[in-house]
């Protein structure tokens, strides 16, 4: 037990890999493809249960402010360490990952017929890489997992995707790789700046951050901007921020259902997580200086994503564009640089994972039945599939942000955060523009619901559709439960992340005046004005 | 001067242990040739003799690893980090090439004994290119290597393409050698010495003749050809496509690394920057700038041309051009190093890069050889259509190599790239930083064509019949070595990098510290 507690994160990362090996072994000796989904479900479920220890654990954080921290030398020649740990920011994202995986596996129960062995292997490898991204505290290790997550997804889209899968897969890969390679250059650049000024180069995030905080490592204004941009580009492509979003609709639409769910629920979060974890803390000055660009782009993303979603003839594409809009909200909340806004952004990340993940699952259900995603093919489904319709409408409400459902809490917090932001100019104008996005979201989602579910059944093929099976209800039920739970009682989630978010906020605002004297007086005032409104 | 020369002639400072690895390889070559003339066409026997010879040579090389850097034969041979790390790469390349060639030898009627002997002589030449601390030795090594590879490229005598390949390589190669030799002559004229250590000292002379500059430029042409950098790369695709695939693998990996070894020694150790000496500053700046521009061009042209190819061998040829560009990033980083330690680390980085490139590329070529069948008929992208799930082991292995060439984490290619980018960024120089950014952007471009092979193998369906080939034992061994290499150097590279850098103590010349 002690061993597990001590190495929990490593186990979470490695268990899926062991699972993948077990599948290859199983395939070699038994050749029973029908067993594989059970094997995969077993490993992902075990991983989820183990990850619950992360939440239940009440032990104190390490000196660096992380839980379950582990620091083992990896390549000493370049001083890179296998340094992992979680804090309030990454904790929920790790749990979200392990939570969504069994659901994704269940969703493929009948969908993946061909080459299911390879499918499950890639799915498990993907899980391992995703957990690695959220846990790594060494920049090189982070980059490693960040890139490693590309390959399984590339295969998932390319082999089991829709008609246009090759284009989508290659586009997805190259877009993301371009961004992350520039980040690699920036990471190595940081290594040398640290080596130059302190004598030892390091990729260790915590060490770099401490050197920056204590002033033993400083970089010029211009260098800071360039490094910030190199990191931000990689993450903005991943989020995706307008105008880097074009890979997303293709990838989402062509990916198999499990792929879309994981893409929406977890992969996109790597971008926003990376910005918050690395950009905000390593380059606070540059973050403040360039925040306006990101705010404008996220507002464009919110409105543009919503408008484009409105005219999509394909349900899955519509949901994909809604992701662009939703992630715009997350970005907006982050760049408010207030505790509330960032809390809201983190919360919205989880919400988006749950609601949009659920939407993709639901689209997948109907696709399995009719093999089309065109809105015009449907109509009046509510009378044929009442349970499905109910769940779909419920999920839509969560996505729109109906009060007492999860989406509301996140959107409300981000917007209040932005409204009260003192760190950026014209915060209220930005909030107002973003607010229109909420209305648009209602428009495109409800319009789609109306066209698909209400009215008369016009297409004879739809008359005999079966309603959801128990498996399908069972796999979406946890998501529905969370939508309500997180909408009614967000405190446990927010409490857990508060400390980390406040630390990031302090780091951002401490540089407010640009000088050390300012740092003593300004941030406290900012925090105090922000606090009462928070809860 | 003359009297010193004469003295040296009388007493040539024989130091046999220092060249023992080279001698063993040459001796093995002679044994293989003799054996073959009495008992011809014994593939396994000559192959085994060659492998044993290479292993013994490697053993002696490794046993020299902890010795302090030294020179022998009146400073003509150097045994330092550069020599040791590059030579171990050559021996590995040679051994794996022998294993890969077995398929080819089975399919076609190849004079296998001659081939093995030539391969060993080529390796011998390469080893002297790394250990030669004298322009003459380097040239001799280079010619030994070149002549052997000219013949090897044309070994498929009945095939027009192979003939074309050999002929092109020979004519253009001789042309490049002439440039190199001319450059060496001019440098001798300018400095009065062919010894690189002495040249480096002469460069410190504030009023050196312009001859040195011209000589350096000529040598860039000569080495540029061998390394295949733009604009001296045009021979590469034709020669690589026409030559038998194992020979292509050997040229793409072996010749290139060898050329890099001498290139590094002559320029980084021979033309260093010496603080406060205007002349050396000028020379240094000239070659660093010229090579930086060449590196950027090499990467860009190589990658863009590779995208357009429909033949896997040609694609790999252009990709090898691009990789020469990446290696040059580290090379220039070595040239700009601020102190000895950084310079040695940068040289080790280039050697490590060539090692990672070698295991990856040899593995890829091994599979291309196997799938190419007789006369390399099946080397178009179309021939790989949909084979992914018919021969999953082969296809996933090839995908691994492609991802390593692309430089994805957990593979050798990634560590290689990180290692060569490091010294270039360390220099803190605008041009070098631009070069690294260009390399990063180029890596993303290269994703397109490396992924294309994965795409055709896995994402497309096969319309025609295709039977998965049986993998011969020797090739299995080669694939095992390369796959393990790719993963080992990608994940546990710590030890290797340490070994490479530790021994890379500049024997030859103390580079001046920059202000």
């Amino acid at each position: 037990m002690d061993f597990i507690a001590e190495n929990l994160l490593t186990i979470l990362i490695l268990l899926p890999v062991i699972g993948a090996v077990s599948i290859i072994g199983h395939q070699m000796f038994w050749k029973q493809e029908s067993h594989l989904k059970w094997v995969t479900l077993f490993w992902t479920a075990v991983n989820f249960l183990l990850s619950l220890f992360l939440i239940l654990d009440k032990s104190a954080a390490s000196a660096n402010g992380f839980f379950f921290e582990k620091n083992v030398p990896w390549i000493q020649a370049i001083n890179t360490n296998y340094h992992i740990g979680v804090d309030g920011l990454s904790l929920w994202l790790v749990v979200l990952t392990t939570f969504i995986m069994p659901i994704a596996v269940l969703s493929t129960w009948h969908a993946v017929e061909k080459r299911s062995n390879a499918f499950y292997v890639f799915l498990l490898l993907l899980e391992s890489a995703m957990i690695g991204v959220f846990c790594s505290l060494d920049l090189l290790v982070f980059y490693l997992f960040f890139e490693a997550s590309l390959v399984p997804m590339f295969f998932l889209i390319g082999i089991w995707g829709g008609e246009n899968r090759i284009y989508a897969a290659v586009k997805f890969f190259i877009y993301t790789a371009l961004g992350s390679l520039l980040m690699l250059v920036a990471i190595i650049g940081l290594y040398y700046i640290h080596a130059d000024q302190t004598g030892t180069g390091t990729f260790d995030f915590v060490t770099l951050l401490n050197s920056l905080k204590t002033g033993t490592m400083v970089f010029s204004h211009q260098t800071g901007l360039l490094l910030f941009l190199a990191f931000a580009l990689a993450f903005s492509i991943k989020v995706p921020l307008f105008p880097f979003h074009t890979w997303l609709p293709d990838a989402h639409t062509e990916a198999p259902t499990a792929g879309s769910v994981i893409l929406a629920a977890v992969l996109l979060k790597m971008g926003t997580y990376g910005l918050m974890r690395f950009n905000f803390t390593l380059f606070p000055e540059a973050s403040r200086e360039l925040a306006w660009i990101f705010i404008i782009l996220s507002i464009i993303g919110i409105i543009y994503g919503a408008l484009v979603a409105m005219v999509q003839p394909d349900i899955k594409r519509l949901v994909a564009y809604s992701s662009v809009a939703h992630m715009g909200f997350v970005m907006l909340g982050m760049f408010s640089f207030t505790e509330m806004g960032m809390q809201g952004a983190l919360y919205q990340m989880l919400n988006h994972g749950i609601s949009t993940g659920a939407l993709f699952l639901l689209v997948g259900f109907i696709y399995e039945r009719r093999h089309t995603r065109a809105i015009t093919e449907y109509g009046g489904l509510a009378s044929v599939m009442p349970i499905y319709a109910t769940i779909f409408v419920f999920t839509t409400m969560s996505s729109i942000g109906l009060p007492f459902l999860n989406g509301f809490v996140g959107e409300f917090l981000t917007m209040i955060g932005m409204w009260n932001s003192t760190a950026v100019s014209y915060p209220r104008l930005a909030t107002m523009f973003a607010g229109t996005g909420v209305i648009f979201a209602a428009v495109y989602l409800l319009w789609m619901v109306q066209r698909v579910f209400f009215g008369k059944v016009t297409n004879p093929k739809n008359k005999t559709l079966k309603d959801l099976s128990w498996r399908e209800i069972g796999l979406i039920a946890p998501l529905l439960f969370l939508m309500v739970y997180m909408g009614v009682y967000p405190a446990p989630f927010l409490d857990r992340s508060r400390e980390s978010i406040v630390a990031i906020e302090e780091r951002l605002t401490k540089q407010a005046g640009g000088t050390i004297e300012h740092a003593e007086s300004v941030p406290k005032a900012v925090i105090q004005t922000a606090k009462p409104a928070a809860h | 001067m003359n009297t010193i020369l004469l003295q040296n002639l009388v007493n040539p400072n024989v130091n046999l242990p220092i060249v023992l690895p080279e001698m063993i390889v040459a001796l093995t070559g002679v044994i293989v040739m003799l054996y073959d003339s009495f008992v011809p066409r014994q593939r396994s026997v000559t192959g085994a003799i060659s492998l044993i010879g290479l292993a013994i040579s490697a053993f002696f090389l490794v046993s020299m690893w902890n010795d302090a850097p030294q020179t022998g034969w009146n400073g003509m041979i150097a045994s330092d980090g550069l020599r040791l790390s590059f030579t171990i790469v050559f021996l590995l390349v040679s051994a794996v090439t022998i294993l890969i060639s077995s398929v080819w030898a089975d399919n076609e009627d190849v004079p296998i004994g001659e081939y093995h002997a030539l391969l060993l002589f080529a390796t011998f030449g390469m080893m002297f290119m790394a250990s030669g601390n004298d322009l003459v030795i380097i040239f001799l090594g280079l010619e030994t290597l070149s002549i052997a590879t000219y013949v090897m490229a044309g070994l498929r005598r009945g095939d027009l393409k192979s003939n074309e390949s050999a002929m092109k390589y020979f004519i253009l190669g001789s042309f490049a050698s002439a440039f190199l030799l001319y450059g060496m002559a001019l440098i001798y004229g300018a400095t009065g010495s062919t010894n690189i250590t002495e040249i480096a000292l002469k460069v410190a002379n504030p009023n050196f003749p312009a001859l040195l500059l011209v000589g350096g430029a000529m040598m860039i042409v000569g080495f540029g050809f061998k390394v295949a950098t733009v604009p001296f790369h045009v021979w590469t695709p034709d020669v690589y496509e026409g030559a038998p695939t194992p020979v292509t693998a050997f040229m793409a990996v072996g010749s290139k690394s060898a050329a890099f070894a001498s290139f590094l020694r002559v320029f980084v150790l021979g033309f260093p920057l010496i603080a406060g000496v205007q002349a050396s500053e000028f020379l240094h700046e000239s070659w660093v700038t010229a090579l930086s521009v060449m590196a950027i061009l090499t990467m860009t042209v190589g990658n863009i041309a590779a995208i357009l190819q429909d033949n896997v061998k040609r694609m790999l040829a252009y990709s090898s051009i691009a990789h020469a560009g990446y290696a040059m990033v580290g090379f220039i980083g070595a040239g700009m190093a601020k102190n000895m330690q950084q310079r040695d680390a940068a040289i080790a980085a280039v050697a490590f890069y060539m090692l990672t490139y070698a295991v990856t590329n040899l593995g890829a070529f091994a599979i291309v050889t196997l799938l190419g069948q007789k006369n390399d008929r099946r080397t178009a992208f179309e021939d790989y259509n949909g084979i992914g799930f018919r021969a999953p082991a082969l296809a996933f292995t090839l995908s691994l190599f492609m991802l390593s060439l692309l430089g994805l984490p957990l593979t050798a290619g990634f560590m290689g790239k990180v290692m060569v980018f490091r010294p270039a960024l360390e220099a803190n120089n605008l041009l070098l930083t631009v070069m690294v950014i260009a390399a990063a952007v180029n890596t993303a471009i290269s994703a397109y064509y490396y992924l294309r092979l994965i795409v055709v193998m896995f994402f497309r369906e096969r319309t025609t019949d295709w039977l998965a080939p049986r993998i011969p034992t020797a090739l299995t061994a080669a694939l095992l070595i390369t796959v393990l290499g790719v993963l080992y150097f990608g994940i546990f590279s710590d030890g290797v990098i340490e070994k490479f850098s530790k021994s890379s103590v500049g024997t030859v010349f103390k580079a001046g510290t920059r202000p």
Side-chain angles (χ1 to χ4, degrees), chain B residues 92-109:
Chain B
L92 179 79
V93 169
S94 193
V96 177
T97 311
I98 289 171
L99 291 173
I100 299 175
S101 312
S102 65
V103 189
W104 170 51
D106 278 348
N107 284 345
E108 296 167 39
D109 193 26

Side-chain angles (χ1 to χ4, degrees), chain A residues 430-441:
Chain A
T431 318
M432 282 192 275
F433 271 112
T436 61
V438 182
I439 302 166
F440 284 129

Side-chain angles (χ1 to χ4, degrees), chain B residues 3-193:
Chain B
T3 50
I4 293 171
L5 260 178
L6 207 63
Q7 253 176 15
N8 288 345
L9 277 179
V10 177
N11 174 16
N13 183 13
V14 174
N15 183 352
L16 272 180
I18 205 172
V19 289
L20 199 58
E22 278 88 348
M23 289 301 125
I24 290 167
V25 171
L27 199 67
T28 317
V30 174
I31 292 172
V32 166
M33 205 154 67
L34 283 175
Y35 181 85
D36 185 61
S37 56
F38 293 113
V39 197
R41 311 265 154 136
Q42 294 269 321
R43 172 167 68 76
S44 348
V45 178
T46 50
I49 297 176
S50 316
L51 286 178
I52 291 169
L54 291 170
I56 296 174
S57 171
F59 172 78
F60 282 108
L61 191 77
V62 171
S63 70
M64 293 162 77
W65 214 278
N66 290 329
D67 295 353
Q70 52 178 320
T71 56
W73 302 87
N74 290 326
M76 294 220 282
I77 302 291
S79 178
D80 57 353
L82 199 162
R83 182 257 180 133
L84 292 173
S85 44
F86 270 95
T87 308
I88 200 84
V89 177
F90 303 153
L91 293 174
L92 179 79
V93 169
S94 193
V96 177
T97 311
I98 289 171
L99 291 173
I100 299 175
S101 312
S102 65
V103 189
W104 170 51
D106 278 348
N107 284 345
E108 296 167 39
D109 193 26
V110 185
I112 192 72
E114 286 169 36
Y115 170 73
H116 283 150
L118 283 169
L119 195 66
L120 290 170
F121 291 138
T123 312
F124 168 73
M126 297 193 322
M127 292 165 86
F128 266 124
M129 286 175 76
S131 58
N133 191 34
D134 192 289
L135 294 180
V136 176
I137 297 286
I138 288 176
F139 184 74
L140 285 179
L142 184 113
E143 281 305 287
T144 315
L145 164 70
S146 301
I147 291 168
T149 38
Y150 297 149
V151 182
M152 279 156 63
L155 264 185
R156 192 179 275 150
R157 267 170 299 189
D159 184 34
L160 259 183
K161 270 196 169 166
S162 180
N163 282 325
E164 180 199 333
S165 159
M167 202 64 197
K168 249 187 193 153
Y169 193 30
F170 173 62
I171 293 175
L172 290 172
S174 323
F175 197 55
S177 295
F179 266 99
L180 188 68
L181 199 56
Y182 200 8
M184 287 175 173
L186 290 179
I187 284 171
Y188 177 67
T191 60
S193 172

Side-chain angles (χ1 to χ4, degrees), chain A residues 17 40 47 84 97 136 139 188 200 212 230 240 244 267 365 381 390 475 488 531:
Chain A
V17 178
T40 319
N47 224 23
I84 51 169
T97 311
S136 6
L139 290 176
I188 304 175
T200 49
L212 282 169
F244 308 114
L267 280 186
F365 294 162
L381 285 191
T390 315
L475 78 94
V488 178
K531 272 268 165 68

